[in-house]
Amino acid sequence: MKKSFILTGTIISSLLAGQTAFASNYTVQKGDSLWKISKKYSTTVETLKQMNHLTSDLIFPGQILKVNEKEDTYVVKANDTLSKIAKQFNTTVDALLKMNPQISNPNFINVGQTIRLSGSVSAPVTKESGANGYYIVKERDTLSGIAKMFNTTVSSLLALNPEITNPNLIRAGQSIKVAGKEAPVQKSLPSSQKTVNAQPTTKPETVSSSNQRVSERTLVSAASTTSSENNTKAVNSSLADRVIQIGEKYLGAKYLYGASPSRTDAFDCSSFTMRVFSEAGISLPRSSAAQSQVGTPVSLSQLQKGDLIFFDTDFNGTINHVGIYAGNGQMLNAATSKGVSYVSINSSYWKERFVKAVRVIN
């Protein structure tokens, strides 16, 4: 009888565990958060929000959340490979690639990435998917996933789509521009330049040959300086894009206070910035307070892509958070609630906690 009881209990426990693992709905309990639920069901906060059409992280006890799609999915963990995942779920790498056309390189998958394991095979992504340079958002799409699909970055998509104020919130059916140029910003010319373009006088001044040679040397020197400055700006801009691209590799990675900079599956705010800039060839100190002391201070109005932004989230006069400015009012950071994610620095939360910004890409 005792052995029978133990066996029966084991079977019941296994069945309950199976039901928990594959349940399609979950009733929110007191003390729950989207992050806690996402970990329980091996998914991500953004996936839960998209499945349940949530516009914020706010949930309440008794609320019923969809936690599993009709098709099975798997969230990539540290040290995972596509072949390892294929073996784990008794399938093949080729089958996984057909169901996940966003994976362009089978040797490169990201921690936190959601991979489909079953369901209908998706049509391969071609240039026609972005007809006229636009892409229609589908269910479970994310901006980072679309960026990878079209070999671009989230910050580039945000620049092409200024109407997207929150990169973590896009909806199925939404049309997103994935190719083309940003609208040019019109700048009025300084009065000195306008004077140069004015009509010449009827009697131009006579210029001596010696003065003319000096003027020519001055013009050549100015042109050389301008060319050098433009080259420097181009290099800096390219490096800033590279920094953002590196940071986006880790979107979805969890937050862990005091995480080692050698870890890529979990970060705190400063280990994230330290890691990203290190991969771009720039060394930063370990803490946010120490990082705030390097580089050149810049104001909010002068922010450029790749600048570091610092905050005092506790209002105690001490810098305790850092993120990377990605352009268009967006910051890429490792946050306690969402892990590595994008946030808007124009929100009231970040605005009132802002302390300073520095430029380390010079």
Side-chain angles (χ1 to χ4, degrees), residues 82 93 96-98 100-110 113 115 125 144-152:
L82 213 55
V93 170
L96 290 179
L97 288 172
K98 285 180 180 178
N100 297 273
Q102 76 278 11
I103 302 176
S104 57
N105 184 347
N107 297 316
F108 184 70
I109 52 177
N110 296 318
Q113 182 177 351
I115 293 180
V125 177
S144 60
I146 296 170
K148 288 173 187 172
M149 195 185 298
F150 289 95
N151 298 316
T152 184

mmCIF file with all atom_site columns, all heavy atoms in Angstrom, residues 82 93 96-98 100-110 113 115 125 144-152:
data_model
loop_
_atom_site.group_PDB
_atom_site.id
_atom_site.type_symbol
_atom_site.label_atom_id
_atom_site.label_alt_id
_atom_site.label_comp_id
_atom_site.label_asym_id
_atom_site.label_entity_id
_atom_site.label_seq_id
_atom_site.pdbx_PDB_ins_code
_atom_site.Cartn_x
_atom_site.Cartn_y
_atom_site.Cartn_z
_atom_site.occupancy
_atom_site.B_iso_or_equiv
_atom_site.pdbx_formal_charge
_atom_site.auth_seq_id
_atom_site.auth_comp_id
_atom_site.auth_asym_id
_atom_site.auth_atom_id
_atom_site.pdbx_PDB_model_num
ATOM 1   N N   . LEU A 1 82  ? 21.173 26.026 -31.955 1.00 0.00 ? 82  LEU A N   1
ATOM 2   C CA  . LEU A 1 82  ? 20.000 25.563 -32.688 1.00 0.00 ? 82  LEU A CA  1
ATOM 3   C C   . LEU A 1 82  ? 19.985 24.040 -32.781 1.00 0.00 ? 82  LEU A C   1
ATOM 4   O O   . LEU A 1 82  ? 18.925 23.412 -32.664 1.00 0.00 ? 82  LEU A O   1
ATOM 5   C CB  . LEU A 1 82  ? 19.981 26.197 -34.084 1.00 0.00 ? 82  LEU A CB  1
ATOM 6   C CG  . LEU A 1 82  ? 18.590 26.482 -34.666 1.00 0.00 ? 82  LEU A CG  1
ATOM 7   C CD1 . LEU A 1 82  ? 17.777 27.349 -33.717 1.00 0.00 ? 82  LEU A CD1 1
ATOM 8   C CD2 . LEU A 1 82  ? 18.709 27.161 -36.013 1.00 0.00 ? 82  LEU A CD2 1
ATOM 9   N N   . VAL A 1 93  ? 17.397 20.918 -37.321 1.00 0.00 ? 93  VAL A N   1
ATOM 10  C CA  . VAL A 1 93  ? 17.750 22.334 -37.493 1.00 0.00 ? 93  VAL A CA  1
ATOM 11  C C   . VAL A 1 93  ? 17.018 22.905 -38.705 1.00 0.00 ? 93  VAL A C   1
ATOM 12  O O   . VAL A 1 93  ? 16.515 24.025 -38.681 1.00 0.00 ? 93  VAL A O   1
ATOM 13  C CB  . VAL A 1 93  ? 19.278 22.498 -37.657 1.00 0.00 ? 93  VAL A CB  1
ATOM 14  C CG1 . VAL A 1 93  ? 19.628 23.925 -38.081 1.00 0.00 ? 93  VAL A CG1 1
ATOM 15  C CG2 . VAL A 1 93  ? 19.989 22.145 -36.359 1.00 0.00 ? 93  VAL A CG2 1
ATOM 16  N N   . LEU A 1 96  ? 13.472 23.766 -37.855 1.00 0.00 ? 96  LEU A N   1
ATOM 17  C CA  . LEU A 1 96  ? 13.412 24.987 -37.032 1.00 0.00 ? 96  LEU A CA  1
ATOM 18  C C   . LEU A 1 96  ? 13.630 26.233 -37.881 1.00 0.00 ? 96  LEU A C   1
ATOM 19  O O   . LEU A 1 96  ? 12.976 27.259 -37.690 1.00 0.00 ? 96  LEU A O   1
ATOM 20  C CB  . LEU A 1 96  ? 14.452 24.919 -35.911 1.00 0.00 ? 96  LEU A CB  1
ATOM 21  C CG  . LEU A 1 96  ? 14.195 23.915 -34.789 1.00 0.00 ? 96  LEU A CG  1
ATOM 22  C CD1 . LEU A 1 96  ? 15.344 23.954 -33.778 1.00 0.00 ? 96  LEU A CD1 1
ATOM 23  C CD2 . LEU A 1 96  ? 12.875 24.203 -34.079 1.00 0.00 ? 96  LEU A CD2 1
ATOM 24  N N   . LEU A 1 97  ? 14.551 26.155 -38.832 1.00 0.00 ? 97  LEU A N   1
ATOM 25  C CA  . LEU A 1 97  ? 14.827 27.301 -39.703 1.00 0.00 ? 97  LEU A CA  1
ATOM 26  C C   . LEU A 1 97  ? 13.618 27.640 -40.575 1.00 0.00 ? 97  LEU A C   1
ATOM 27  O O   . LEU A 1 97  ? 13.329 28.811 -40.822 1.00 0.00 ? 97  LEU A O   1
ATOM 28  C CB  . LEU A 1 97  ? 16.049 27.012 -40.584 1.00 0.00 ? 97  LEU A CB  1
ATOM 29  C CG  . LEU A 1 97  ? 17.412 27.008 -39.875 1.00 0.00 ? 97  LEU A CG  1
ATOM 30  C CD1 . LEU A 1 97  ? 18.505 26.514 -40.822 1.00 0.00 ? 97  LEU A CD1 1
ATOM 31  C CD2 . LEU A 1 97  ? 17.747 28.402 -39.345 1.00 0.00 ? 97  LEU A CD2 1
ATOM 32  N N   . LYS A 1 98  ? 12.910 26.600 -41.032 1.00 0.00 ? 98  LYS A N   1
ATOM 33  C CA  . LYS A 1 98  ? 11.723 26.841 -41.864 1.00 0.00 ? 98  LYS A CA  1
ATOM 34  C C   . LYS A 1 98  ? 10.608 27.510 -41.059 1.00 0.00 ? 98  LYS A C   1
ATOM 35  O O   . LYS A 1 98  ? 9.861  28.331 -41.585 1.00 0.00 ? 98  LYS A O   1
ATOM 36  C CB  . LYS A 1 98  ? 11.220 25.511 -42.452 1.00 0.00 ? 98  LYS A CB  1
ATOM 37  C CG  . LYS A 1 98  ? 12.088 24.990 -43.580 1.00 0.00 ? 98  LYS A CG  1
ATOM 38  C CD  . LYS A 1 98  ? 11.552 23.675 -44.123 1.00 0.00 ? 98  LYS A CD  1
ATOM 39  C CE  . LYS A 1 98  ? 12.438 23.156 -45.256 1.00 0.00 ? 98  LYS A CE  1
ATOM 40  N NZ  . LYS A 1 98  ? 11.956 21.850 -45.772 1.00 0.00 ? 98  LYS A NZ  1
ATOM 41  N N   . ASN A 1 100 ? 11.175 29.410 -38.458 1.00 0.00 ? 100 ASN A N   1
ATOM 42  C CA  . ASN A 1 100 ? 11.701 30.670 -37.909 1.00 0.00 ? 100 ASN A CA  1
ATOM 43  C C   . ASN A 1 100 ? 12.529 31.390 -38.969 1.00 0.00 ? 100 ASN A C   1
ATOM 44  O O   . ASN A 1 100 ? 13.768 31.463 -38.875 1.00 0.00 ? 100 ASN A O   1
ATOM 45  C CB  . ASN A 1 100 ? 12.557 30.375 -36.666 1.00 0.00 ? 100 ASN A CB  1
ATOM 46  C CG  . ASN A 1 100 ? 11.764 29.748 -35.540 1.00 0.00 ? 100 ASN A CG  1
ATOM 47  O OD1 . ASN A 1 100 ? 11.169 30.433 -34.728 1.00 0.00 ? 100 ASN A OD1 1
ATOM 48  N ND2 . ASN A 1 100 ? 11.751 28.415 -35.504 1.00 0.00 ? 100 ASN A ND2 1
ATOM 49  N N   . PRO A 1 101 ? 11.869 31.915 -40.014 1.00 0.00 ? 101 PRO A N   1
ATOM 50  C CA  . PRO A 1 101 ? 12.608 32.541 -41.124 1.00 0.00 ? 101 PRO A CA  1
ATOM 51  C C   . PRO A 1 101 ? 13.411 33.775 -40.708 1.00 0.00 ? 101 PRO A C   1
ATOM 52  O O   . PRO A 1 101 ? 14.263 34.231 -41.455 1.00 0.00 ? 101 PRO A O   1
ATOM 53  C CB  . PRO A 1 101 ? 11.502 32.909 -42.112 1.00 0.00 ? 101 PRO A CB  1
ATOM 54  C CG  . PRO A 1 101 ? 10.266 33.009 -41.277 1.00 0.00 ? 101 PRO A CG  1
ATOM 55  C CD  . PRO A 1 101 ? 10.422 31.967 -40.218 1.00 0.00 ? 101 PRO A CD  1
ATOM 56  N N   . GLN A 1 102 ? 13.116 34.295 -39.502 1.00 0.00 ? 102 GLN A N   1
ATOM 57  C CA  . GLN A 1 102 ? 13.887 35.455 -39.032 1.00 0.00 ? 102 GLN A CA  1
ATOM 58  C C   . GLN A 1 102 ? 15.315 35.085 -38.655 1.00 0.00 ? 102 GLN A C   1
ATOM 59  O O   . GLN A 1 102 ? 16.166 35.952 -38.500 1.00 0.00 ? 102 GLN A O   1
ATOM 60  C CB  . GLN A 1 102 ? 13.184 36.108 -37.829 1.00 0.00 ? 102 GLN A CB  1
ATOM 61  C CG  . GLN A 1 102 ? 13.315 35.366 -36.498 1.00 0.00 ? 102 GLN A CG  1
ATOM 62  C CD  . GLN A 1 102 ? 12.320 34.211 -36.337 1.00 0.00 ? 102 GLN A CD  1
ATOM 63  O OE1 . GLN A 1 102 ? 11.668 33.844 -37.294 1.00 0.00 ? 102 GLN A OE1 1
ATOM 64  N NE2 . GLN A 1 102 ? 12.209 33.673 -35.135 1.00 0.00 ? 102 GLN A NE2 1
ATOM 65  N N   . ILE A 1 103 ? 15.587 33.772 -38.518 1.00 0.00 ? 103 ILE A N   1
ATOM 66  C CA  . ILE A 1 103 ? 16.952 33.324 -38.203 1.00 0.00 ? 103 ILE A CA  1
ATOM 67  C C   . ILE A 1 103 ? 17.710 33.194 -39.518 1.00 0.00 ? 103 ILE A C   1
ATOM 68  O O   . ILE A 1 103 ? 17.523 32.233 -40.256 1.00 0.00 ? 103 ILE A O   1
ATOM 69  C CB  . ILE A 1 103 ? 16.948 31.977 -37.443 1.00 0.00 ? 103 ILE A CB  1
ATOM 70  C CG1 . ILE A 1 103 ? 16.149 32.093 -36.141 1.00 0.00 ? 103 ILE A CG1 1
ATOM 71  C CG2 . ILE A 1 103 ? 18.367 31.529 -37.142 1.00 0.00 ? 103 ILE A CG2 1
ATOM 72  C CD1 . ILE A 1 103 ? 16.011 30.799 -35.375 1.00 0.00 ? 103 ILE A CD1 1
ATOM 73  N N   . SER A 1 104 ? 18.564 34.165 -39.809 1.00 0.00 ? 104 SER A N   1
ATOM 74  C CA  . SER A 1 104 ? 19.308 34.155 -41.067 1.00 0.00 ? 104 SER A CA  1
ATOM 75  C C   . SER A 1 104 ? 20.591 33.346 -40.961 1.00 0.00 ? 104 SER A C   1
ATOM 76  O O   . SER A 1 104 ? 21.114 32.861 -41.953 1.00 0.00 ? 104 SER A O   1
ATOM 77  C CB  . SER A 1 104 ? 19.626 35.592 -41.503 1.00 0.00 ? 104 SER A CB  1
ATOM 78  O OG  . SER A 1 104 ? 20.340 36.270 -40.486 1.00 0.00 ? 104 SER A OG  1
ATOM 79  N N   . ASN A 1 105 ? 21.104 33.209 -39.727 1.00 0.00 ? 105 ASN A N   1
ATOM 80  C CA  . ASN A 1 105 ? 22.336 32.451 -39.507 1.00 0.00 ? 105 ASN A CA  1
ATOM 81  C C   . ASN A 1 105 ? 22.086 31.414 -38.424 1.00 0.00 ? 105 ASN A C   1
ATOM 82  O O   . ASN A 1 105 ? 21.915 31.753 -37.256 1.00 0.00 ? 105 ASN A O   1
ATOM 83  C CB  . ASN A 1 105 ? 23.461 33.396 -39.079 1.00 0.00 ? 105 ASN A CB  1
ATOM 84  C CG  . ASN A 1 105 ? 24.799 32.671 -38.934 1.00 0.00 ? 105 ASN A CG  1
ATOM 85  O OD1 . ASN A 1 105 ? 24.860 31.443 -38.918 1.00 0.00 ? 105 ASN A OD1 1
ATOM 86  N ND2 . ASN A 1 105 ? 25.867 33.445 -38.840 1.00 0.00 ? 105 ASN A ND2 1
ATOM 87  N N   . PRO A 1 106 ? 22.049 30.115 -38.785 1.00 0.00 ? 106 PRO A N   1
ATOM 88  C CA  . PRO A 1 106 ? 21.748 29.059 -37.794 1.00 0.00 ? 106 PRO A CA  1
ATOM 89  C C   . PRO A 1 106 ? 22.773 28.954 -36.680 1.00 0.00 ? 106 PRO A C   1
ATOM 90  O O   . PRO A 1 106 ? 22.521 28.323 -35.663 1.00 0.00 ? 106 PRO A O   1
ATOM 91  C CB  . PRO A 1 106 ? 21.714 27.783 -38.634 1.00 0.00 ? 106 PRO A CB  1
ATOM 92  C CG  . PRO A 1 106 ? 22.512 28.093 -39.850 1.00 0.00 ? 106 PRO A CG  1
ATOM 93  C CD  . PRO A 1 106 ? 22.297 29.545 -40.126 1.00 0.00 ? 106 PRO A CD  1
ATOM 94  N N   . ASN A 1 107 ? 23.928 29.593 -36.873 1.00 0.00 ? 107 ASN A N   1
ATOM 95  C CA  . ASN A 1 107 ? 24.966 29.555 -35.839 1.00 0.00 ? 107 ASN A CA  1
ATOM 96  C C   . ASN A 1 107 ? 24.866 30.738 -34.885 1.00 0.00 ? 107 ASN A C   1
ATOM 97  O O   . ASN A 1 107 ? 25.688 30.874 -33.982 1.00 0.00 ? 107 ASN A O   1
ATOM 98  C CB  . ASN A 1 107 ? 26.356 29.556 -36.492 1.00 0.00 ? 107 ASN A CB  1
ATOM 99  C CG  . ASN A 1 107 ? 26.586 28.316 -37.343 1.00 0.00 ? 107 ASN A CG  1
ATOM 100 O OD1 . ASN A 1 107 ? 26.256 27.223 -36.929 1.00 0.00 ? 107 ASN A OD1 1
ATOM 101 N ND2 . ASN A 1 107 ? 27.106 28.510 -38.540 1.00 0.00 ? 107 ASN A ND2 1
ATOM 102 N N   . PHE A 1 108 ? 23.850 31.613 -35.110 1.00 0.00 ? 108 PHE A N   1
ATOM 103 C CA  . PHE A 1 108 ? 23.757 32.809 -34.281 1.00 0.00 ? 108 PHE A CA  1
ATOM 104 C C   . PHE A 1 108 ? 22.322 32.988 -33.787 1.00 0.00 ? 108 PHE A C   1
ATOM 105 O O   . PHE A 1 108 ? 21.436 33.367 -34.544 1.00 0.00 ? 108 PHE A O   1
ATOM 106 C CB  . PHE A 1 108 ? 24.198 34.044 -35.064 1.00 0.00 ? 108 PHE A CB  1
ATOM 107 C CG  . PHE A 1 108 ? 24.207 35.302 -34.245 1.00 0.00 ? 108 PHE A CG  1
ATOM 108 C CD1 . PHE A 1 108 ? 25.151 35.472 -33.247 1.00 0.00 ? 108 PHE A CD1 1
ATOM 109 C CD2 . PHE A 1 108 ? 23.268 36.294 -34.459 1.00 0.00 ? 108 PHE A CD2 1
ATOM 110 C CE1 . PHE A 1 108 ? 25.159 36.632 -32.481 1.00 0.00 ? 108 PHE A CE1 1
ATOM 111 C CE2 . PHE A 1 108 ? 23.276 37.447 -33.699 1.00 0.00 ? 108 PHE A CE2 1
ATOM 112 C CZ  . PHE A 1 108 ? 24.220 37.618 -32.707 1.00 0.00 ? 108 PHE A CZ  1
ATOM 113 N N   . ILE A 1 109 ? 22.080 32.682 -32.508 1.00 0.00 ? 109 ILE A N   1
ATOM 114 C CA  . ILE A 1 109 ? 20.796 32.953 -31.869 1.00 0.00 ? 109 ILE A CA  1
ATOM 115 C C   . ILE A 1 109 ? 21.066 33.686 -30.564 1.00 0.00 ? 109 ILE A C   1
ATOM 116 O O   . ILE A 1 109 ? 22.154 33.573 -30.001 1.00 0.00 ? 109 ILE A O   1
ATOM 117 C CB  . ILE A 1 109 ? 19.988 31.652 -31.599 1.00 0.00 ? 109 ILE A CB  1
ATOM 118 C CG1 . ILE A 1 109 ? 20.830 30.622 -30.831 1.00 0.00 ? 109 ILE A CG1 1
ATOM 119 C CG2 . ILE A 1 109 ? 19.451 31.068 -32.887 1.00 0.00 ? 109 ILE A CG2 1
ATOM 120 C CD1 . ILE A 1 109 ? 20.064 29.360 -30.473 1.00 0.00 ? 109 ILE A CD1 1
ATOM 121 N N   . ASN A 1 110 ? 20.097 34.465 -30.106 1.00 0.00 ? 110 ASN A N   1
ATOM 122 C CA  . ASN A 1 110 ? 20.293 35.319 -28.937 1.00 0.00 ? 110 ASN A CA  1
ATOM 123 C C   . ASN A 1 110 ? 19.619 34.762 -27.691 1.00 0.00 ? 110 ASN A C   1
ATOM 124 O O   . ASN A 1 110 ? 18.535 34.161 -27.780 1.00 0.00 ? 110 ASN A O   1
ATOM 125 C CB  . ASN A 1 110 ? 19.723 36.720 -29.192 1.00 0.00 ? 110 ASN A CB  1
ATOM 126 C CG  . ASN A 1 110 ? 20.455 37.430 -30.302 1.00 0.00 ? 110 ASN A CG  1
ATOM 127 O OD1 . ASN A 1 110 ? 21.670 37.363 -30.377 1.00 0.00 ? 110 ASN A OD1 1
ATOM 128 N ND2 . ASN A 1 110 ? 19.712 38.111 -31.163 1.00 0.00 ? 110 ASN A ND2 1
ATOM 129 N N   . GLN A 1 113 ? 15.684 35.043 -27.070 1.00 0.00 ? 113 GLN A N   1
ATOM 130 C CA  . GLN A 1 113 ? 14.958 34.954 -28.339 1.00 0.00 ? 113 GLN A CA  1
ATOM 131 C C   . GLN A 1 113 ? 13.918 33.840 -28.275 1.00 0.00 ? 113 GLN A C   1
ATOM 132 O O   . GLN A 1 113 ? 14.166 32.774 -27.733 1.00 0.00 ? 113 GLN A O   1
ATOM 133 C CB  . GLN A 1 113 ? 15.973 34.692 -29.463 1.00 0.00 ? 113 GLN A CB  1
ATOM 134 C CG  . GLN A 1 113 ? 15.371 34.630 -30.859 1.00 0.00 ? 113 GLN A CG  1
ATOM 135 C CD  . GLN A 1 113 ? 16.454 34.440 -31.916 1.00 0.00 ? 113 GLN A CD  1
ATOM 136 O OE1 . GLN A 1 113 ? 17.642 34.513 -31.625 1.00 0.00 ? 113 GLN A OE1 1
ATOM 137 N NE2 . GLN A 1 113 ? 16.051 34.179 -33.147 1.00 0.00 ? 113 GLN A NE2 1
ATOM 138 N N   . ILE A 1 115 ? 11.762 31.018 -30.067 1.00 0.00 ? 115 ILE A N   1
ATOM 139 C CA  . ILE A 1 115 ? 11.829 30.172 -31.264 1.00 0.00 ? 115 ILE A CA  1
ATOM 140 C C   . ILE A 1 115 ? 10.600 29.277 -31.343 1.00 0.00 ? 115 ILE A C   1
ATOM 141 O O   . ILE A 1 115 ? 10.219 28.640 -30.356 1.00 0.00 ? 115 ILE A O   1
ATOM 142 C CB  . ILE A 1 115 ? 13.119 29.312 -31.236 1.00 0.00 ? 115 ILE A CB  1
ATOM 143 C CG1 . ILE A 1 115 ? 14.337 30.229 -31.382 1.00 0.00 ? 115 ILE A CG1 1
ATOM 144 C CG2 . ILE A 1 115 ? 13.107 28.262 -32.337 1.00 0.00 ? 115 ILE A CG2 1
ATOM 145 C CD1 . ILE A 1 115 ? 15.657 29.496 -31.362 1.00 0.00 ? 115 ILE A CD1 1
ATOM 146 N N   . VAL A 1 125 ? 11.135 34.868 -45.651 1.00 0.00 ? 125 VAL A N   1
ATOM 147 C CA  . VAL A 1 125 ? 11.152 36.320 -45.773 1.00 0.00 ? 125 VAL A CA  1
ATOM 148 C C   . VAL A 1 125 ? 11.968 36.704 -46.991 1.00 0.00 ? 125 VAL A C   1
ATOM 149 O O   . VAL A 1 125 ? 13.109 36.306 -47.139 1.00 0.00 ? 125 VAL A O   1
ATOM 150 C CB  . VAL A 1 125 ? 11.781 36.962 -44.513 1.00 0.00 ? 125 VAL A CB  1
ATOM 151 C CG1 . VAL A 1 125 ? 11.870 38.468 -44.684 1.00 0.00 ? 125 VAL A CG1 1
ATOM 152 C CG2 . VAL A 1 125 ? 10.953 36.618 -43.295 1.00 0.00 ? 125 VAL A CG2 1
ATOM 153 N N   . SER A 1 144 ? 12.818 44.369 -32.496 1.00 0.00 ? 144 SER A N   1
ATOM 154 C CA  . SER A 1 144 ? 14.166 43.814 -32.647 1.00 0.00 ? 144 SER A CA  1
ATOM 155 C C   . SER A 1 144 ? 14.151 42.641 -33.630 1.00 0.00 ? 144 SER A C   1
ATOM 156 O O   . SER A 1 144 ? 15.086 42.457 -34.413 1.00 0.00 ? 144 SER A O   1
ATOM 157 C CB  . SER A 1 144 ? 14.723 43.367 -31.292 1.00 0.00 ? 144 SER A CB  1
ATOM 158 O OG  . SER A 1 144 ? 13.901 42.376 -30.713 1.00 0.00 ? 144 SER A OG  1
ATOM 159 N N   . GLY A 1 145 ? 13.077 41.845 -33.604 1.00 0.00 ? 145 GLY A N   1
ATOM 160 C CA  . GLY A 1 145 ? 12.957 40.727 -34.541 1.00 0.00 ? 145 GLY A CA  1
ATOM 161 C C   . GLY A 1 145 ? 12.831 41.208 -35.979 1.00 0.00 ? 145 GLY A C   1
ATOM 162 O O   . GLY A 1 145 ? 13.426 40.642 -36.901 1.00 0.00 ? 145 GLY A O   1
ATOM 163 N N   . ILE A 1 146 ? 12.060 42.287 -36.179 1.00 0.00 ? 146 ILE A N   1
ATOM 164 C CA  . ILE A 1 146 ? 11.898 42.863 -37.520 1.00 0.00 ? 146 ILE A CA  1
ATOM 165 C C   . ILE A 1 146 ? 13.222 43.447 -38.002 1.00 0.00 ? 146 ILE A C   1
ATOM 166 O O   . ILE A 1 146 ? 13.579 43.340 -39.170 1.00 0.00 ? 146 ILE A O   1
ATOM 167 C CB  . ILE A 1 146 ? 10.787 43.937 -37.508 1.00 0.00 ? 146 ILE A CB  1
ATOM 168 C CG1 . ILE A 1 146 ? 9.430  43.285 -37.174 1.00 0.00 ? 146 ILE A CG1 1
ATOM 169 C CG2 . ILE A 1 146 ? 10.704 44.657 -38.845 1.00 0.00 ? 146 ILE A CG2 1
ATOM 170 C CD1 . ILE A 1 146 ? 8.322  44.268 -36.900 1.00 0.00 ? 146 ILE A CD1 1
ATOM 171 N N   . ALA A 1 147 ? 13.955 44.084 -37.071 1.00 0.00 ? 147 ALA A N   1
ATOM 172 C CA  . ALA A 1 147 ? 15.252 44.665 -37.422 1.00 0.00 ? 147 ALA A CA  1
ATOM 173 C C   . ALA A 1 147 ? 16.195 43.575 -37.929 1.00 0.00 ? 147 ALA A C   1
ATOM 174 O O   . ALA A 1 147 ? 16.884 43.756 -38.945 1.00 0.00 ? 147 ALA A O   1
ATOM 175 C CB  . ALA A 1 147 ? 15.855 45.381 -36.218 1.00 0.00 ? 147 ALA A CB  1
ATOM 176 N N   . LYS A 1 148 ? 16.231 42.438 -37.238 1.00 0.00 ? 148 LYS A N   1
ATOM 177 C CA  . LYS A 1 148 ? 17.098 41.334 -37.662 1.00 0.00 ? 148 LYS A CA  1
ATOM 178 C C   . LYS A 1 148 ? 16.641 40.772 -39.002 1.00 0.00 ? 148 LYS A C   1
ATOM 179 O O   . LYS A 1 148 ? 17.451 40.396 -39.852 1.00 0.00 ? 148 LYS A O   1
ATOM 180 C CB  . LYS A 1 148 ? 17.089 40.224 -36.604 1.00 0.00 ? 148 LYS A CB  1
ATOM 181 C CG  . LYS A 1 148 ? 17.834 40.588 -35.324 1.00 0.00 ? 148 LYS A CG  1
ATOM 182 C CD  . LYS A 1 148 ? 17.636 39.527 -34.272 1.00 0.00 ? 148 LYS A CD  1
ATOM 183 C CE  . LYS A 1 148 ? 18.242 39.970 -32.939 1.00 0.00 ? 148 LYS A CE  1
ATOM 184 N NZ  . LYS A 1 148 ? 17.919 39.058 -31.842 1.00 0.00 ? 148 LYS A NZ  1
ATOM 185 N N   . MET A 1 149 ? 15.324 40.726 -39.188 1.00 0.00 ? 149 MET A N   1
ATOM 186 C CA  . MET A 1 149 ? 14.749 40.187 -40.415 1.00 0.00 ? 149 MET A CA  1
ATOM 187 C C   . MET A 1 149 ? 15.216 40.972 -41.645 1.00 0.00 ? 149 MET A C   1
ATOM 188 O O   . MET A 1 149 ? 15.469 40.413 -42.712 1.00 0.00 ? 149 MET A O   1
ATOM 189 C CB  . MET A 1 149 ? 13.215 40.244 -40.304 1.00 0.00 ? 149 MET A CB  1
ATOM 190 C CG  . MET A 1 149 ? 12.453 39.417 -41.323 1.00 0.00 ? 149 MET A CG  1
ATOM 191 S SD  . MET A 1 149 ? 10.672 39.669 -41.182 1.00 0.00 ? 149 MET A SD  1
ATOM 192 C CE  . MET A 1 149 ? 10.336 39.090 -39.525 1.00 0.00 ? 149 MET A CE  1
ATOM 193 N N   . PHE A 1 150 ? 15.347 42.284 -41.470 1.00 0.00 ? 150 PHE A N   1
ATOM 194 C CA  . PHE A 1 150 ? 15.721 43.143 -42.599 1.00 0.00 ? 150 PHE A CA  1
ATOM 195 C C   . PHE A 1 150 ? 17.155 43.675 -42.484 1.00 0.00 ? 150 PHE A C   1
ATOM 196 O O   . PHE A 1 150 ? 17.504 44.682 -43.104 1.00 0.00 ? 150 PHE A O   1
ATOM 197 C CB  . PHE A 1 150 ? 14.723 44.304 -42.717 1.00 0.00 ? 150 PHE A CB  1
ATOM 198 C CG  . PHE A 1 150 ? 13.365 43.847 -43.196 1.00 0.00 ? 150 PHE A CG  1
ATOM 199 C CD1 . PHE A 1 150 ? 12.362 43.553 -42.287 1.00 0.00 ? 150 PHE A CD1 1
ATOM 200 C CD2 . PHE A 1 150 ? 13.113 43.663 -44.545 1.00 0.00 ? 150 PHE A CD2 1
ATOM 201 C CE1 . PHE A 1 150 ? 11.113 43.117 -42.719 1.00 0.00 ? 150 PHE A CE1 1
ATOM 202 C CE2 . PHE A 1 150 ? 11.877 43.218 -44.986 1.00 0.00 ? 150 PHE A CE2 1
ATOM 203 C CZ  . PHE A 1 150 ? 10.869 42.939 -44.079 1.00 0.00 ? 150 PHE A CZ  1
ATOM 204 N N   . ASN A 1 151 ? 17.963 42.993 -41.656 1.00 0.00 ? 151 ASN A N   1
ATOM 205 C CA  . ASN A 1 151 ? 19.380 43.347 -41.512 1.00 0.00 ? 151 ASN A CA  1
ATOM 206 C C   . ASN A 1 151 ? 19.586 44.829 -41.195 1.00 0.00 ? 151 ASN A C   1
ATOM 207 O O   . ASN A 1 151 ? 20.376 45.524 -41.838 1.00 0.00 ? 151 ASN A O   1
ATOM 208 C CB  . ASN A 1 151 ? 20.156 42.984 -42.787 1.00 0.00 ? 151 ASN A CB  1
ATOM 209 C CG  . ASN A 1 151 ? 20.140 41.506 -43.073 1.00 0.00 ? 151 ASN A CG  1
ATOM 210 O OD1 . ASN A 1 151 ? 20.336 40.699 -42.166 1.00 0.00 ? 151 ASN A OD1 1
ATOM 211 N ND2 . ASN A 1 151 ? 19.896 41.131 -44.316 1.00 0.00 ? 151 ASN A ND2 1
ATOM 212 N N   . THR A 1 152 ? 18.839 45.310 -40.204 1.00 0.00 ? 152 THR A N   1
ATOM 213 C CA  . THR A 1 152 ? 18.990 46.691 -39.765 1.00 0.00 ? 152 THR A CA  1
ATOM 214 C C   . THR A 1 152 ? 18.994 46.711 -38.241 1.00 0.00 ? 152 THR A C   1
ATOM 215 O O   . THR A 1 152 ? 19.169 45.680 -37.614 1.00 0.00 ? 152 THR A O   1
ATOM 216 C CB  . THR A 1 152 ? 17.869 47.580 -40.353 1.00 0.00 ? 152 THR A CB  1
ATOM 217 O OG1 . THR A 1 152 ? 18.096 48.942 -39.985 1.00 0.00 ? 152 THR A OG1 1
ATOM 218 C CG2 . THR A 1 152 ? 16.490 47.135 -39.890 1.00 0.00 ? 152 THR A CG2 1
#
